């Protein structure tokens, strides 16, 4: 087993649960087969293990430095990214004509997961670049596409998204960066941005910033935000680089984790010469940027999964190798110690980690499959329904793993005992790195308000009904198995609880939105637990069907492990939801009536 992923689990998820091979029946992927998909995953795994994983600790201990002139970092970061780009990993889903492989998003996301596990901070440079390129491809002018797109997809340029400002934080309606028309189709950009990942470095020839700013006279709030391309160096029509743009690195931000990525404070227009170009329509910038943000939110969720997964595998290996104590029934101190994994409490923590990370991985890959169905579904109805399901589930895909796979990291440290709290073992870094995922691309609170205040209510609950249909389908499949039937019944009850809570809160929301949404984060957690229970039941149905025909012990153990993890989640995790629903339906106002002066 690799220390960055259990490939048997990844193959199970991609090919058995999410049926990647069925996508080859679609015209876009007709040149592919299970073998070509597996070859892409093998290539990604090899590069991740050989080029990304070896410097994960080194880049954490030697974070980027700014000497006032330029940013420097360890050479291994650039070497890894060059290997990644040379293998075509920057554009695996793009058209052949654009240098892509026309892989399904499902397979590309599975490949990306291995890089996230191996070294998330290094991967973040190219992850942001891919999202940047997608925005330009979908909303940019033909001139902008010609100037930037191929250079971004080849890795010649990297890209960022510049949203956050010092005074605004997550409140984008309060951003003040300005964009003044110059009369020649360009705009003078002036303002400051913070927490811009990959905002400056020497890894590529150029950096293309996508910057949110306001044109004079724009409406207040988010309806007055426009989007601009602002390159570090101007790009001539022939693709060559021109003069340095007026974009200055004001400093690096030093973080608890994720230290291998430059986190920057950028100043635009200090000298009055920062030039940008409008992307899309005036005042519609947030709609353009939301494409990148939604892609990033799925990426954040998958990153959280893989840090949890890496910690799980590390603690599993440690528990198998580390002798410690004796079984409770053995009082003979002369008997040899047993491996940690022989103790029930250690198995409890390992089982919890397995349930969290493998359940969340299945959810992230399901979201990727929804993107495929949205783009290449066989009917317009299938494409529309996939889009609605994706909208509904994106807050869960982002937030549930960033909470519960972080808990998996905490359990990994606990299994290591005192050693887990030292830098001699990697699990402390995985925890530090994963802690960021609860914050960036929208905190839990923001995702919760989006889910309860908008997503479950939109289109008269149509997305909720679609998800309910998919859950009922899985429950019906589980009914064929005596062992899984009770889980199906429990999932049905949990889903009905969701619907009742939505009904109760929905009745109050129009008149008293503050009270209705005061405990939205609790709803997010309960909704997420229900969805993860569903992903586990889906996996268990596949495992139960496969088990009777398995001939090898390793395969039998794999499927039995899936069934037991499913059982654990239904017995120990799903029941958490009951008290949460009771609290939500009570519309408790403790947070609203707690005066700030009482703290």
């Amino acid at each position: 087993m690799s220390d960055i992923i259990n490939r048997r689990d990844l193959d199970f998820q991609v090919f058995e649960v999410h049926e990647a091979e069925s996508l080859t029946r679609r015209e876009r992927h007709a040149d592919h087969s299970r073998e070509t998909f597996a070859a892409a995953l093998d290539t990604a795994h090899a590069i991740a293990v050989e080029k990304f994983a070896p410097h994960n600790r080194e880049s954490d201990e030697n974070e980027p430095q700014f000497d006032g002139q330029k940013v420097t970092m360890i050479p291994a970061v650039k070497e890894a990214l060059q290997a990644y780009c040379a293998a075509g990993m920057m554009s695996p889903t793009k058209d052949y004509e654009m240098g892509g492989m026309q892989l399904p998003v499902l397979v590309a996301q599975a490949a990306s997961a291995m890089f996230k596990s191996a070294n998330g901070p290094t991967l973040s440079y190219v992850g942001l670049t891919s999202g940047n390129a997608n925005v330009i491809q979908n909303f940019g002018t033909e001139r902008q596409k010609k100037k930037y797109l191929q250079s971004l997809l080849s890795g010649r340029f990297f890209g960022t998204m510049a949203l956050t400002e010092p005074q605004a934080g997550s409140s984008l309606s309060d951003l003040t960066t300005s964009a003044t028309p110059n009369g020649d189709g360009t705009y003078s950009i002036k303002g400051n941005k913070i927490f811009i990942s990959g905002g400056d470095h020497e890894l590529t020839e150029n950096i293309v910033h996508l910057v949110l700013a306001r044109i004079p006279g724009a409406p207040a709030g988010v309806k007055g935000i426009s989007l601009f391309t602002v390159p570090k160096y101007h790009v001539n029509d022939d693709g060559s680089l021109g003069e340095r743009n007026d974009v200055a690195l004001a400093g690096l931000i030093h973080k608890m984790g994720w230290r291998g990525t430059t986190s920057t404070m950028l100043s635009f227009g200090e000298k009055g010469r920062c030039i940008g170009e409008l992307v899309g329509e005036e005042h519609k910038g947030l709609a353009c940027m939301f494409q990148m943000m939604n892609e990033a939110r799925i990426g954040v969720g998958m990153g959280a999964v893989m840090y949890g997964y890496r910690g799980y595998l590390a603690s599993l290996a440690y528990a198998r190798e580390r002798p410690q104590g004796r079984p409770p029934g053995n009082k003979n101190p002369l008997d040899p110690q047993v491996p940690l994994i022989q103790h029930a409490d250690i198995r409890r923590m390992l089982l919890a980690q397995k349930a969290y990370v493998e359940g969340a991985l299945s959810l992230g890959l399901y979201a990727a499959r929804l993107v495929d169905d949205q783009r290449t579904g066989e009917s317009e109805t299938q494409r529309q329904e996939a889009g609605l399901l994706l909208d509904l589930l994106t807050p869960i895909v982002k937030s549930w793993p960033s909470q519960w796979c972080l808990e998996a990291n905490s359990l990994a440290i606990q299994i290591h005992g005192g050693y887990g709290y030292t830098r001699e073992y990697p699990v402390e870094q995985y925890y530090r790195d994963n802690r960021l995922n609860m914050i960036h691309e929208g905190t839990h609170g923001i995702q919760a308000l989006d889910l309860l205040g908008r997503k479950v209510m939109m289109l008269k609950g149509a997305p909720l009904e679609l998800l309910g249909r998919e859950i009922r389908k899985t429950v019906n499949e589980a009914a064929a198995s005596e062992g899984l039937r009770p889980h199906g019944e429990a999932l049905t009850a949990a889903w009905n609880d969701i619907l009742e809570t939505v009904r109760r809160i929905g009745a109050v929301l129009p008149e008293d939105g503050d009270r209705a949404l005061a405990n939205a984060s609790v709803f997010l957690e309960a909704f997420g637990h229900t969805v993860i229970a569903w992903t586990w039941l889906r996996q268990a149905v596949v495992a139960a069907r496969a088990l009777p025909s398995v001939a090898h012990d390793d395969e039998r153990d794999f499927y039995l492990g899936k069934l037991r993890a499913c059982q654990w989640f239904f017995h120990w995790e799903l029941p958490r939801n009951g008290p949460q629903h009771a609290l939500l339906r009570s519309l408790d106002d403790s947070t609203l009536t707690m005066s700030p002066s009482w703290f």
Side-chain angles (χ1 to χ4, degrees):
M1 184 188 296
S2 165
D3 67 350
I4 66 168
I5 191 72
N6 178 351
R7 274 300 303 275
R8 180 63 188 91
D9 181 39
L10 189 66
D11 289 345
F12 169 78
Q13 303 270 13
V14 171
F15 295 111
E16 297 178 60
V17 177
H18 300 292
E19 300 178 334
E21 198 169 357
S22 68
L23 294 169
T24 62
R25 295 196 292 269
R26 299 179 183 177
E27 181 180 357
R28 180 167 181 78
H29 310 302
D31 292 341
H32 286 290
S33 63
R34 177 165 180 155
E35 288 69 29
T36 62
F37 292 163
L41 295 178
D42 288 342
T43 299
H45 184 263
I47 297 172
V49 169
E50 295 169 11
K51 297 293 186 180
F52 279 69
H55 72 273
N56 187 46
R57 171 63 80 176
E58 184 184 5
S59 63
D60 178 69
E61 295 176 340
N62 300 274
E63 58 185 304
Q65 300 295 318
F66 178 47
D67 62 6
Q69 298 296 319
K70 65 179 182 179
V71 174
T72 58
M73 63 185 71
I74 60 171
V77 175
K78 186 171 185 176
E79 294 169 9
L81 293 172
Q82 287 175 333
Y84 180 95
C85 294
M89 292 294 166
M90 184 72 83
S91 52
T93 64
K94 298 296 184 186
D95 296 348
Y96 294 133
E97 293 75 16
M98 298 178 68
M101 295 184 251
Q102 288 189 195
L103 286 172
V105 175
L106 171 60
V107 177
Q109 193 65 258
S112 178
M114 290 184 277
F115 291 103
K116 288 180 167 76
S117 179
N119 193 323
T122 291
L123 184 71
S124 65
Y125 293 103
V126 285
L128 287 164
T129 300
S130 295
N132 182 299
N134 288 340
V135 171
I136 292 174
Q137 181 179 358
N138 290 328
F139 301 104
T141 64
E142 290 304 315
R143 185 168 181 267
Q144 287 168 339
K145 294 176 187 178
K146 184 177 180 181
K147 282 172 64 174
Y148 299 122
L149 202 50
Q150 195 54 47
S151 291
L152 288 166
L153 294 176
S154 67
R156 181 188 172 208
F157 298 169
F158 282 172
T160 75
M161 57 177 178
L163 291 76
T164 308
E165 297 181 3
Q167 82 292 341
S170 298
S171 181
L172 295 179
S173 63
D174 295 315
L175 67 80
T176 58
T177 297
S178 63
T180 305
N182 292 322
D184 60 357
T186 67
Y187 293 77
S188 292
I189 310 297
K190 187 171 182 58
N192 299 292
K193 301 287 184 177
I194 61 170
F195 297 125
I196 310 306
S197 297
D200 206 338
H201 51 72
E202 301 296 318
L203 296 169
T204 54
E205 293 180 33
N206 203 359
I207 303 172
V208 181
H209 304 289
L210 286 176
V211 180
L212 290 179
R214 294 185 185 281
I215 297 171
V222 295
K223 294 181 179 180
I225 298 175
S226 300
L227 181 65
F228 302 86
T229 55
V230 183
K232 179 178 179 179
Y233 291 94
H234 294 296
V235 181
N236 299 317
D237 288 340
D238 63 0
S240 63
L241 298 187
E243 296 180 353
R244 173 78 183 252
N245 204 355
D246 186 8
V247 181
L249 175 61
L252 297 180
I253 299 170
H254 302 283
K255 306 181 298 296
M256 170 183 168
W258 211 270
R259 296 174 179 174
T261 303
T262 56
S263 183
T264 63
M265 298 176 282
L266 297 179
S267 294
F268 297 88
E270 282 187 343
K271 302 174 182 177
R273 301 201 312 269
C274 182
I275 304 299
E277 296 179 341
L278 181 69
V279 179
E281 299 178 38
E282 289 185 358
H283 318 317
K284 299 293 180 65
L286 201 55
C288 299
M289 187 66 93
F290 257 117
Q291 173 178 306
M292 187 174 181
M293 290 169 67
N294 283 333
E295 291 176 15
R297 284 169 176 169
I298 294 174
V300 167
M302 286 294 284
V305 171
M306 298 318 297
Y307 272 119
Y309 211 130
R310 188 90 187 266
Y312 164 55
L313 294 180
S315 62
L316 176 60
Y318 185 82
R320 284 174 168 163
E321 297 166 1
R322 167 76 173 176
Q324 184 72 54
R326 295 159 190 85
N330 184 349
K331 306 301 183 182
N332 186 356
L334 299 179
D335 283 349
Q337 298 187 81
V338 298
L340 278 172
I341 202 168
Q342 295 296 330
H343 297 287
D345 195 56
I346 297 296
R347 291 200 295 274
R348 173 188 65 83
M349 291 187 281
L350 289 170
L351 193 48
Q353 290 182 75
K354 179 181 176 70
Y356 298 154
V357 303
E358 292 181 13
L361 175 62
S362 195
L363 174 62
L365 293 176
Y366 177 70
R369 174 66 196 243
L370 286 176
V371 176
D372 283 317
D373 290 342
Q374 186 181 28
R375 293 178 180 177
T376 63
E378 295 168 3
S379 69
E380 179 62 25
T381 297
Q382 184 184 22
R383 292 190 289 272
Q384 289 179 351
E385 290 181 350
L388 290 175
L389 282 169
L390 190 62
D391 282 345
L392 174 66
L393 288 173
T394 293
I396 304 299
V397 175
K398 190 275 176 187
S399 283
W400 196 94
S402 66
Q403 178 179 357
W404 291 97
C405 293
L406 181 69
E407 175 62 19
N409 289 124
S410 179
L411 292 171
I413 292 174
Q414 191 71 15
I415 287 172
H416 280 73
Y419 288 119
Y421 201 64
T422 69
R423 291 197 173 189
E424 279 64 42
Y425 286 82
V427 288
E428 63 85 25
Q429 182 190 344
Y430 302 153
Y431 185 93
R432 286 188 290 106
D433 285 347
N434 208 357
R435 186 58 183 82
L436 175 62
N437 290 315
M438 295 181 75
I439 301 170
H440 68 163
E441 305 309 332
T443 62
H444 277 340
I446 290 172
Q447 302 299 331
L449 291 172
D450 182 38
L451 177 67
L452 183 55
R454 191 166 70 91
K455 295 295 178 60
V456 299
M457 306 294 181
M458 68 183 186
L459 300 176
K460 298 181 179 179
L464 206 61
E465 174 55 34
L466 287 173
L467 182 56
R469 183 190 69 187
E470 296 302 307
I471 288 173
R472 288 191 296 273
K473 186 187 304 181
T474 304
V475 168
N476 290 337
E477 292 172 337
S481 168
E482 184 177 350
L484 298 181
R485 195 175 303 125
H487 300 336
E489 294 168 355
L491 181 58
T492 298
W495 183 248
N496 288 336
D497 271 341
I498 292 286
L499 297 179
E500 176 57 25
T501 298
V502 169
R503 187 198 65 78
R504 178 75 177 93
I505 292 176
V508 177
L509 188 60
E511 293 80 27
D512 194 354
D514 287 347
R515 187 178 184 190
L517 299 177
N519 298 308
S521 60
V522 179
F523 179 80
L524 177 75
E525 183 175 330
F527 195 105
H529 258 59
T530 304
V531 170
I532 295 297
W534 172 55
T535 71
W536 266 114
L537 192 57
R538 292 186 76 202
Q539 293 182 68
V541 167
V542 175
R545 287 173 178 169
L547 198 54
S549 61
V550 168
H552 300 290
D553 287 345
D554 286 350
E555 282 291 280
R556 183 174 178 80
D557 288 345
F558 174 80
Y559 288 124
L560 287 173
K562 286 291 182 183
L563 291 171
R564 189 50 53 95
C566 176
Q567 174 183 300
W568 185 89
F569 196 90
F570 273 86
H571 286 183
W572 289 90
E573 289 293 332
L574 191 58
R576 293 174 182 266
N577 288 12
Q580 291 176 319
H581 284 297
L583 172 64
L584 287 163
R585 292 172 199 163
S586 75
L587 295 168
D588 178 74
D589 63 355
S590 298
T591 55
L592 292 178
T593 57
M594 179 67 179
S595 171
S597 65
W598 297 348
F599 285 100

